[in-house]
Amino acid sequence: DAGVTQSPTHLIKTRGQQVTLRCSPKSGHDTVSWYQQALGQGPQFIFQYYEEEERQRGNFPDRFSGHQFPNYSSELNVNALLLGDSALYLCASSLFGQENEKLFFGSGTQLSVL
Amino acid sequence: QKEVEQDPGPLSVPEGAIVSLNCTYSNSAFQYFMWYRQYSRKGPELLMYTYSSGNKEDGRFTAQVDKSSKYISLFIRDSQPSDSATYLCAMRKAAGNKLTFGGGTRVLVKP
């Protein structure tokens, strides 16, 4: 049973560029959430996708956008990259509507903005 | 002030000792509480999941939630060097809601 998979594992970009990160959820899961984890800090919620729609959004600017596909996989797009966007980007999947819903995380994409 | 506070450590213990971790929070609406373990450059791994107040035990791990004090704890018995990692507490208000994380506590178990 494949867990949550993310690609690429590492990425180096320069300021002003755009980046797309990809995530495939754990088998049987239909909901994908994205988190940003700066070095030495806990993950911060970016947004959640269910049924191909953004359901919840954290305190992130519109430069951060996403998409969910019919097979439940998801993309995170960041435009006009800033140095402060350097972080580990984590994707988590779950099964929507479960009272004891549990999130399972991928290994993340390490983004470095130079 | 952050919604969830966690001592960053590092917390250094000898092998075989009990590791004691805790988080405090300010929002009484949190109902679901989790502990994750994160190794360097990896994603968080779910260790314990608790709903509302009470204790939960799973092998060497015990999670406690005291909602009246807005305080949660994780205890690791018979610690091993492989337990060396960053431990993150997380909580949410309802099913389907976002997780709010503490900043993590780095734990070092010395052989």
Side-chain angles (χ1 to χ4, degrees):
Chain A
D1 179 22
V4 180
T5 58
Q6 293 187 242
S7 63
T9 55
H10 296 84
L11 206 51
I12 299 175
K13 292 286 187 178
T14 56
R15 282 180 299 174
Q17 286 189 314
Q18 179 264 343
V19 68
T20 298
L21 311 181
R22 295 176 176 81
C23 171
S24 292
K26 179 180 169 66
S27 178
H29 285 182
D30 56 10
T31 303
V32 172
S33 301
W34 287 91
Y35 289 77
Q36 179 196 66
Q37 187 176 24
L39 190 62
Q41 298 183 25
Q44 298 289 316
F45 175 74
I46 303 175
F47 41 53
Q48 179 196 69
Y49 276 85
Y50 170 67
E51 289 189 330
E52 303 179 47
E53 291 187 4
E54 183 182 292
R55 298 288 175 160
Q56 299 178 65
R57 188 178 183 92
N59 189 25
F60 280 80
D62 292 344
R63 298 186 297 109
F64 290 78
S65 63
H67 189 77
Q68 186 180 34
F69 299 94
N71 67 352
Y72 308 119
S73 66
S74 177
E75 289 183 349
L76 164 65
N77 300 291
V78 187
N79 294 322
L81 285 167
L82 304 174
L83 296 179
D85 294 332
S86 295
L88 180 66
Y89 287 85
L90 295 163
C91 171
S93 74
S94 59
L95 190 58
F96 189 84
Q98 299 294 302
E99 184 65 25
N100 62 345
E101 177 194 17
K102 298 176 182 177
L103 265 65
F104 293 86
F105 285 83
S107 291
T109 294
Q110 184 65 55
L111 173 65
S112 299
V113 182
L114 306 179
Chain B
Q1 184 182 2
K2 294 182 179 180
E3 276 192 292
V4 181
E5 297 280 359
Q6 190 174 2
D7 189 320
L11 178 63
S12 183
V13 300
E15 183 176 355
I18 294 175
V19 176
S20 176
L21 303 166
N22 58 75
C23 287
T24 59
Y25 61 96
S26 57
N27 194 332
S28 59
F30 287 127
Q31 298 285 338
Y32 300 82
F33 305 92
M34 286 135 273
W35 286 95
Y36 283 85
R37 177 175 63 196
Q38 186 174 29
Y39 293 112
S40 181
R41 301 176 187 275
K42 296 293 185 182
E45 173 193 7
L46 181 64
L47 288 176
M48 300 291 284
Y49 178 98
T50 310
Y51 170 68
S52 195
S53 287
N55 295 353
K56 184 174 183 179
E57 187 173 321
D58 184 1
R60 296 186 297 116
F61 299 93
T62 299
Q64 293 182 348
V65 175
D66 182 350
K67 291 188 66 181
S68 63
S69 301
K70 298 190 182 68
Y71 186 90
I72 68 171
S73 302
L74 177 70
F75 301 95
I76 307 173
R77 292 181 297 278
D78 187 25
S79 58
Q80 304 296 312
S82 59
D83 293 325
S84 298
T86 295
Y87 290 80
L88 297 157
C89 65
M91 48 199 76
R92 68 166 186 254
K93 299 172 187 175
N97 271 184
K98 66 174 185 178
L99 292 184
T100 300
F101 283 86
T105 299
R106 186 176 167 215
V107 172
L108 300 173
V109 181
K110 297 184 176 181

